[in-house]
Structure formats: C-alpha cells, structure tokens
Amino acid sequence: MRTYEFDILCIGSGVSGLMASIAASEEHKDICIVSKDPFSWGNTRISGGVIASNQDSSLDIDILNAGRRLNSSELVETLLNDSENIHETVESWGHIYRRNGNKKIKIKPGGHSEARTYISSYKGISLGNVLRMRLLEETNVKIIEETIVCKILTHDSRVYGAICYNWIKDTWYIIYAKQIILATGGGGMLYDPHTDNMRSSTGDSYSLALQCGASLIDMEQIQFIPFGVAYPQGMTGLEIGDTAAAGPYGKLITEDGKLILGNIPSLTREEVSRKIALAMSRGSTELKDNVKLDPTANINKQDGKEAWVNTNNSGSLEAVKYAYGVKSYKWEEPFSVIPTVHYIMGGVLVDQQGCTEVDGLLVAGEAAGGVHGSGRLGSMSLFEGLVFGRKVGKIAAEQIDKTKDNPFPIKESDLIINEYKKTISNGKGSNSPFLLKKKLAEVMWKDVGLIKTEKSLLRAMEQIKKIEKLSKELFVNWKKSEQRQLILNTIELKMMVTTSKAIIVSSLIRRESRGSHYRLDYPSENNSEDYNVKVDLKDGEVQAKKYDKSIS
Amino acid sequence: MCVIRINVKRKTDEINEVVTYLVNTFEERMTLLEALKKIQEKQEPTLGIRYGCRFKDCGLCAVKVNGKEKMACVTNAKNEMLVEPLDHVPIVQDLIVERSYITKMIRDLELIPTVKEGEASILVSDEYMAVVKCTDCQACLSSSDIYSHENRYQNAGPLFFVKLAQIYYHPRLDINYKEIAQKLGLHEYKNSPTIPCPYGVPINKLAISPFID
C-alpha cells in the first residue's frame, strides 16, 4: 500500500489523457497520469491514425447529420472553436502527416462530405510515440503504469482521490488529488470478441463516473464499424474498415452473390452496419447469415485503386490478408464481413469545459458523451481527443488555482482499500471473472447489439443481474500475487456490469431507431421528438430517463 | 474438432515448470493468443498472459515459441508448441514480462529530442518509415545475447537504439547522437549478429551501424 498526493490525477494515457497531462503540465501543476496498460498504450496507438481537420465550414453540419440531432450543439461548437492550431501543435512536436509534395494528403472517411482528414505517417503508433515523447519532456508529471483505477473518492460531492491497483506489482495505492480527469476511452470489450478495441477498453470511466455521482448520456448509442473480420477464431471483430474501405465500387452481397447494397462510401457507418445486420438476421434478432464485401470492381478503376492504397495505408487490410488470404487483400475476391464495436458515442455528461456535476471531476475523449449524438464520422475520435484533451487539461489547471485548500479528509488509507475489497467479492466462491466477462459480452452482443427489442433487452438485464450475483462469489485471493490478473479482471468485471446496465436501461427508454441504436420493435425514427437519455446511479440502481437539455 | 497440446513455461511464486494444456480448436485455425486465452478462461485462471489489440499493432503479446520470438496474436496454434516468456527481461508471472522500465529508461537516458528550428524538410525517408514501426515488443532484447537487463544503463539494448534511430531519421527532430550513442552502449553491438524484429525493422543496418564510427 502506498499513498501519493498531486494537484491533478489523469486516468488514461491515450490521446486525451496525454494531451490533458501535457496541457496541465504547461501550467506548472503537479500531475499524475495513471495507465492500465503500459504508458501511452491503448486504442490511440492501435488506431489507423487518421485525424479530421476543421478546414471548411461544413464539418459541423456533417457532425450533426451523422448524430441525427442528438449531438450537444454546444459541445460541437466548443470542439470546432478550440481546434485552432491543433494539427500545427502536434506537428511542432514532431508528428508527421502523409504528404503529396508539400500538401498534406486528405481523405474522406465515412460520413464526411469533404476530404478533410489527414493521415499520420504510420498509423496511431506514430501519434502515440510523439505524444509520449512530448509528455516525457515534462518533469513534473509522475507516470504510474499498469494500474487500474477502481474507485473515485468523493466527499460532499467533491473528488479527493482514487483507489488504484497496480496489477503488475500487485500493489494498492491511494492517489489523493484535487482535480481528476477521466480519459480511459471506450468500452468495446463489453462486446468481446466483436470489437476492434484493446483488451483494456472495458469502459472504466462510465462506471467510475456513475459510482461517484456523475451522469451518463446517450449510452444506447454504440458505434459498430461496418466491416470487421468474421473468422478465424482469435481474429473475429478485428477492424477491416469503415464505409470508405469498400472503395467507390464495392458492394455488399449475400453468400450466393445477391446484391444487398452498393454506393457504400456515400453512406454513414450507422447506415451500412444496420443494413448488414438486417441482411444477416433476415428480419429476426439473430445474426445467422453470412454477408460478404465484394470490392473486386474497384481494381479496374483509377479511383478504386486509390481507395485500396488509402485503405492499405491505414493498416486495416493486413488483417484481411491474414484472415482470408492474398486475393482478398488485393481486392480480387469477396470476403466475409461482420460489423464490430468500434466506439461508444455515449459517455459521461459534461459541460463545455469538460466538467461534470461532481466538483473536480472532468472528462475528455471517448469517455465523454455528447459530441457525436447517435452517429460518429470517421477520424473524429483522435481529433476530439486532441482538442478536448488539451482543453480539459487547461481547465483542470485553472481550477487548481481557484481551490487552494485541501479538500480531502484523510482517513486510514488501509481502511479505505479494505472496505473497497469487501464490495468486490467475498473471496469465498468458485466463479472465474474471465468466464463471467465472456458471458457478459455474449449477452451484450446477442441481446444489446446491432438489433435490439424490448424482449431482448429485458432478457439481457436479467442475465446481467445473474452475472452480477455470481461475480460476488469469485475465488479471488487478495493475498496471492499469482492472482494479479484475476484481481484486475474482477475489478473490471464489476465496472462492466454497471456499464452494461447503463446501456440496457438507455436502450429500453429509446423506443425508436436512430443512428446506431436499432429497435426491431420500433424500426423508424420518431421525427416529432428529439431527446437524450440520461443515466444515474440512485440507491444502487442504474436508472435512465429522458433528458431534454433545453429544460435543464 | 481437434485437440492440441500446448506446453507453457510457467513461473509464479509457487510454480516453475513447463505445464501441458489440452485445447479444443473446433476450427481448422486458431491463433496462439486465442489458445492461451482459452486456457486462462477454462483451465488455469492464474495463467499470466499479456495482450492488447489481437493483431500485432500493440506489441504486448510477444513470447517465445519453440525458441523464437513471435507475436502470439499472429502465430497459429500448433500441436506440441512450447511457449515461453521472452528472455533477458524480468518475468512478472508466466508469460508476462516487465515493461514499465522502458518509460523510465527513456527519461533517465534523456532519449528525448529537440525540434529543429525553422521549416525543416517534411519529406519522410524510407529509413524513417522502417524504424517507426517499432511497438516496444521487446523481442529484440530477448533475442540478443549481448543485452543484459542488469547492465541496461551501460548497455541499453536494441529497443533503445531503435528509439534513437527514430529521432535520427526524423526530418525535424534532433538529439546529440554521438553522446547518446555512447551513453546507450551502442559500441557493444558493433559485431552483433543480425537482430530479428517481428515488425521487420532492420535493426543492425538502421539502428546500430549509423552510430558506430
């Protein structure tokens, strides 16, 4: 057990967490950045590294169109207003975009009406490395790696620290801080293996926020990228690409070659994923049929060949080669595709400063909700992470200057940790957190996935509650170091149960189909009523209600 | 259905031996990472494995397979495979090895570049594109007999030479190469046999030779 004390605790070391920590450090604050994986590992690093730019007047229109009026227009405005110099800033730190002569190459990922997206020199790795180097220049940032944040500590609705577990060192910490930034990214693992996210993407921010009194918004909006790998075992769910990855002449076909959909790049990710799901299920909720992407018509056309080069540069065709062979990789034959969870559009409810309803708790990046509403354009996540990361880091630093006093009541730190452990598991059962996580993800994919109904959602809630009950009786032995991964997974499971419930109750309330949320029992969009769904944790129950921003 | 035997070198506070596990592959093909995950899920929940993206972008699942460094995610599971942790890096548990020292080394060795003044060339070379692929997977440290973790502050090892090369070939970044190369103990590798890299980084050619007089 160790305790630390800092001005600011930043949880997560992807694009948002790194930008926030750099920005706060530039304001000379003492910062601790905690990463569950090695420092600067996460979805940022494994992404294609494509980043939108705000170069024309129509980006906001595209964002709002993809979000089907659920976006927070204030957050969209903030994103665009605060994006000034963002690319120049990372370039000045050594980031390189692909160029044609002197000009940055621009592409048009799914949903964009203009080519305004830049391509990093070598996928997300190149961005991750530049941000890591830039942060390591800052001497007033403490880096704690391979450590999960288990619980945010609050007093009178104000944060004062967090309980953490270093799963490599098998050591518990309490980190006291006046401001806490949540930047743990998304939660694709809630649908494992049907996700292209990192293993560590277990949606920790959503549960941490709920548990300390903040609210979530739009949690029913889970983005499926249309083209994921279908097989073999171990590769299911890996990303092939979004609508642009079909090329201008690619089409979706059934197993026996019948046309399902053409003209794919002009559509949003949401539209194409839903079309694939409905073709697979033939009108039921069960995804049983195989759907193929036939990109072969591209290879005889100039713009088709260019699309292949761009798709290959973002790295995603590699997975096609390994899964299906060289012919599929070269777009010489059709291959099986299945939509895969890519991004959670919902997230923690924040204002334009990235602040939550809990004093001292800020959120940036995928962990936050509101920008994307019910659909997200390609290449927006790194853009959002860069812009909001920088902004939120700066705001947190400003707040420190305003709150000089130490807010936390120092309790026995050992006591805090022991109390926490008791809420996790009695350590007397025989259930495995690995199997329960797997079961949870099966339930989420089957009943809370691409096609939902009231019946499937209620069934899912019942199953998740069963898993929650079983999760209290795990064979966790807190004293044995060989149990480090069991402990890590137990902590994650507990949080995933809470987040799953938030997604289910939100999906139940939205009795319509909009964006990424498709209800077979309410298949059309209700044009007469636009509302968001807000989730809170009250008396231990995860509750959702309609939320009209104009009233609040 | 096909059952295969996977032999895993285990190391915990209590175990230090090769343990054989039987895995049902159901289909013709299964990745080694998937096989290890199945063992962890169904047979041995304390089996320590580290992974991230499942397709070689993150570099977290490097292990030794039949004596050679591989990414478990892009290796097919085969009958009687021997899976061991990487060499030369301290084992945390079973197949998990230490990593957090990498961040500390970059800081301590001041492997941090400055950005060149003015409008430097923004054209990237083939050499830059070759070295930028490194994922810190540590396979190079494992396969090099010259590397010693205990002496890493005198002999930093190929992973850190690649970090230096990433700065060297970058069109806008700069660092005092001579001084840093000296500090990293690069001269120790003057006659090193070819160091393999799962990502195809030509380590000897691009990250060692240019820094040796």
Side-chain angles (χ1 to χ4, degrees):
Chain A
M1 222 291 294
R2 281 194 73 167
T3 59
Y4 295 96
E5 198 183 321
F6 297 94
D7 290 332
I8 299 169
L9 167 63
C10 177
I11 307 168
S13 67
V15 59
S16 309
L18 288 166
M19 288 300 285
S21 300
I22 293 165
S25 181
E26 284 174 347
E27 304 292 323
H28 313 291
K29 299 295 173 266
D30 282 329
I31 303 143
C32 176
I33 183 167
V34 172
S35 178
K36 191 162 72 176
D37 266 336
F39 171 59
S40 95
W41 258 249
N43 286 337
T44 295
R45 198 166 266 266
I46 68 163
S47 72
V50 290
I51 315 179
S53 70
N54 178 24
Q55 52 161 27
D56 53 69
S57 56
S58 59
L59 178 57
D60 59 338
I61 298 167
D62 285 355
I63 296 173
L64 297 171
N65 272 348
R68 306 290 314 164
R69 303 186 300 282
L70 294 195
N71 325 63
S72 154
S73 48
E74 294 84 4
L75 287 178
V76 173
E77 194 188 315
T78 306
L79 172 67
L80 299 187
N81 287 344
D82 284 53
S83 66
E84 207 189 331
N85 291 332
I86 200 72
H87 293 286
E88 291 77 5
T89 301
V90 291
E91 283 179 298
S92 76
W93 297 342
H95 189 51
I96 300 173
Y97 291 111
R98 283 178 189 258
R99 289 176 191 250
N100 200 343
N102 261 345
K103 286 201 162 159
K104 285 176 213 150
I105 296 171
K106 286 185 255 180
I107 55 165
K108 194 160 95 66
H112 288 272
S113 62
E114 302 270 340
R116 56 167 83 92
T117 290
Y118 301 142
I119 312 171
S120 297
S121 61
Y122 188 69
K123 302 190 276 183
I125 294 178
S126 54
L127 180 69
N129 280 338
V130 164
L131 297 180
R132 168 168 71 170
M133 279 195 298
R134 176 64 191 84
L135 184 81
L136 290 178
E137 268 180 50
E138 300 292 329
T139 48
N140 49 338
V141 181
K142 164 88 179 168
I143 298 163
I144 299 183
E145 309 188 39
E146 297 157 330
T147 296
I148 182 170
V149 173
C150 313
K151 189 179 177 184
I152 306 279
L153 300 168
T154 55
H155 182 72
D156 282 344
S157 199
R158 176 167 180 185
V159 303
Y160 70 90
I163 302 174
C164 312
Y165 174 67
N166 183 321
W167 62 277
I168 287 290
K169 296 196 162 88
D170 184 34
T171 306
W172 293 82
Y173 308 134
I174 296 207
I175 301 175
Y176 294 102
K178 296 173 200 161
Q179 299 282 316
I180 296 181
I181 299 167
L182 287 175
T184 72
M189 291 306 284
L190 292 160
Y191 293 84
D192 180 38
H194 294 280
T195 179
D196 55 13
N197 286 191
M198 286 281 278
R199 189 221 70 84
S200 49
S201 300
T202 48
D204 301 355
S205 283
Y206 311 127
S207 168
L208 289 171
L210 271 184
Q211 155 270 319
C212 75
S215 309
L216 306 182
I217 195 160
D218 299 336
M219 288 303 287
E220 76 284 5
Q221 300 294 347
I222 312 283
Q223 181 170 63
F224 294 82
I225 205 164
F227 309 130
V229 173
Y231 57 83
Q233 288 180 79
M235 291 189 73
T236 307
L238 293 174
E239 178 186 347
I240 296 172
D242 85 346
T243 56
Y249 307 100
K251 53 192 191 221
L252 284 166
I253 55 171
T254 62
E255 186 76 68
D256 43 15
K258 282 193 198 113
L259 178 72
I260 300 168
L261 188 67
N263 199 12
I264 296 168
S266 68
L267 301 169
T268 63
R269 295 170 168 189
E270 283 63 40
E271 288 163 335
V272 179
S273 291
R274 188 186 293 183
K275 194 85 185 171
I276 296 174
L278 290 172
M280 290 176 77
S281 74
R282 277 182 285 157
S284 71
T285 58
E286 194 192 338
L287 305 177
K288 47 198 168 195
D289 284 5
N290 200 4
V291 167
K292 288 186 164 182
L293 176 64
D294 180 0
T296 54
N298 287 300
I299 54 177
N300 299 320
K301 303 269 175 64
Q302 193 51 39
D303 49 346
K305 283 182 198 159
E306 279 167 22
W308 184 88
V309 171
N310 285 332
T311 310
N312 197 35
N313 279 345
S314 66
S316 35
L317 283 173
E318 281 281 306
V320 173
K321 194 198 282 182
Y322 196 76
Y324 304 132
V326 175
K327 278 196 160 181
S328 297
Y329 166 73
K330 289 186 179 166
W331 283 3
E332 288 169 2
E333 68 182 15
F335 46 84
S336 296
V337 288
I338 184 165
T340 190
V341 173
H342 187 64
Y343 192 93
I344 298 189
M345 264 104 41
V348 187
L349 180 63
V350 290
D351 64 14
Q352 280 171 282
Q353 313 287 307
C355 298
T356 66
E357 300 141 302
V358 177
D359 196 5
L361 185 70
L362 300 94
V363 191
E366 190 176 349
V371 170
H372 306 293
S374 69
R376 188 180 68 89
L377 308 169
S379 75
M380 288 298 290
S381 61
L382 295 177
F383 180 65
E384 182 194 358
L386 287 170
V387 175
F388 271 105
R390 176 171 74 175
K391 181 174 182 87
V392 164
K394 222 171 157 188
I395 300 281
E398 282 171 22
Q399 301 282 343
I400 292 291
D401 295 334
K402 289 183 198 155
T403 55
K404 287 282 183 207
D405 61 313
N406 258 352
F408 48 85
I410 301 271
K411 213 173 164 188
E412 274 290 321
S413 298
D414 281 318
L415 200 71
I416 295 176
I417 288 168
N418 284 334
E419 277 172 14
Y420 168 75
K421 284 181 187 170
K422 273 184 210 153
T423 66
I424 289 293
S425 173
N426 60 14
K428 286 176 187 156
S430 58
N431 299 311
S432 152
F434 296 108
L435 277 180
L436 291 179
K437 274 173 99 174
K438 199 179 160 80
K439 178 77 192 153
L440 176 143
E442 275 168 21
V443 170
M444 294 299 285
W445 170 249
K446 198 167 156 279
D447 283 338
V448 199
L450 284 151
I451 303 173
K452 313 170 200 175
T453 64
E454 177 143 343
K455 201 174 153 195
S456 79
L457 292 166
L458 291 172
R459 183 168 60 214
M461 184 57 96
E462 200 179 306
Q463 292 292 316
I464 296 294
K465 282 184 175 164
K466 267 189 198 163
I467 291 168
E468 182 178 33
K469 205 168 160 221
L470 293 171
S471 76
K472 298 212 161 100
E473 292 170 357
L474 301 173
F475 51 71
V476 170
N477 182 335
W478 303 104
K479 292 197 174 81
K480 281 194 167 180
S481 70
E482 64 171 39
Q483 301 238 344
R484 49 170 61 84
Q485 270 188 315
L486 273 163
I487 296 173
L488 169 69
N489 280 272
T490 298
I491 296 162
E492 286 176 339
L493 171 65
K494 164 110 179 162
M495 296 205 263
M496 288 166 85
V497 164
T498 306
T499 306
S500 299
K501 286 184 183 173
I503 295 171
I504 296 168
V505 292
S506 302
S507 300
L508 275 166
I509 291 241
R510 189 167 292 286
R511 289 189 171 143
E512 63 159 349
S513 294
R514 190 185 294 235
S516 290
H517 171 73
Y518 183 73
R519 287 277 302 258
L520 190 64
D521 43 357
Y522 299 93
S524 3
E525 185 171 307
N526 178 0
N527 288 316
S528 62
E529 194 189 12
D530 293 336
Y531 58 89
N532 295 89
V533 179
K534 182 169 174 264
V535 177
D536 290 288
L537 186 63
K538 288 220 170 89
D539 307 321
E541 286 288 316
V542 179
Q543 297 171 358
K545 61 176 183 215
K546 286 187 186 177
Y547 174 66
D548 186 342
K549 291 186 293 270
S550 55
I551 299 168
S552 71
Chain B
M1 191 168 82
C2 175
V3 178
I4 57 170
R5 288 160 59 92
I6 303 277
N7 307 304
V8 182
K9 173 71 176 58
R10 296 206 59 190
K11 182 155 191 326
T12 68
D13 290 345
E14 286 156 21
I15 312 165
N16 188 8
E17 63 190 12
V18 173
V19 180
T20 300
Y21 299 97
L22 300 179
V23 181
N24 287 328
T25 62
F26 296 101
E27 284 167 27
E28 210 179 305
R29 261 178 81 194
M30 179 192 270
T31 64
L32 171 60
L33 174 61
E34 187 68 7
L36 294 170
K37 281 169 66 189
K38 278 199 190 304
I39 296 168
Q40 191 186 52
E41 273 161 19
K42 297 191 172 143
Q43 300 177 53
E44 187 43 81
T46 65
L47 177 69
I49 54 175
R50 195 200 291 259
Y51 71 98
C53 71
R54 299 186 292 139
F55 194 68
K56 71 175 185 180
D57 278 328
C58 74
L60 294 182
C61 68
V63 289
K64 270 172 59 192
V65 179
N66 297 335
K68 289 235 163 78
E69 287 74 16
K70 302 270 184 198
M71 306 311 299
C73 63
V74 286
T75 303
N76 286 333
K78 297 228 170 81
N79 194 31
E80 290 298 356
M81 259 179 174
L82 173 63
V83 190
E84 298 168 282
L86 296 178
D87 278 336
H88 306 141
V89 185
I91 297 167
V92 174
Q93 180 182 330
D94 302 327
L95 302 174
I96 303 174
V97 295
E98 295 275 357
R99 273 190 83 108
S100 61
Y101 75 93
I102 297 173
T103 311
K104 193 169 157 29
M105 289 272 283
I106 295 173
R107 259 188 170 165
D108 292 351
L109 296 167
E110 294 168 324
L111 256 170
I112 295 175
T114 52
V115 181
K116 285 178 194 162
E117 291 286 322
E119 270 295 306
S121 158
I122 33 80
L123 292 174
V124 293
S125 60
D126 291 346
E127 288 83 0
Y128 171 77
M129 289 307 290
V131 294
V132 76
K133 293 177 177 166
C134 171
T135 63
D136 299 13
C137 76
Q138 309 188 86
C140 56
L141 301 179
S142 174
S143 60
S144 168
D145 284 335
I146 305 172
Y147 178 72
S148 142
H149 192 77
E150 290 67 37
N151 296 329
R152 64 190 183 279
Y153 280 89
Q154 288 79 48
N155 165 358
L159 190 156
F160 298 92
F161 308 158
V162 174
K163 296 277 155 286
L164 180 63
Q166 286 178 345
I167 300 169
Y168 182 73
Y169 293 112
H170 191 291
R172 296 198 58 194
L173 300 181
D174 202 7
I175 201 164
N176 186 340
Y177 302 106
K178 284 220 159 132
E179 193 189 309
I180 295 283
Q182 185 77 20
K183 205 150 90 175
L184 299 183
L186 240 142
H187 51 277
E188 300 280 338
Y189 286 73
K190 194 171 179 181
N191 300 312
S192 165
T194 302
I195 302 165
C197 166
Y199 298 90
V201 178
I203 297 174
N204 299 65
K205 187 177 155 207
L206 295 184
I208 295 175
S209 301
F211 305 110
I212 289 175
D213 296 328

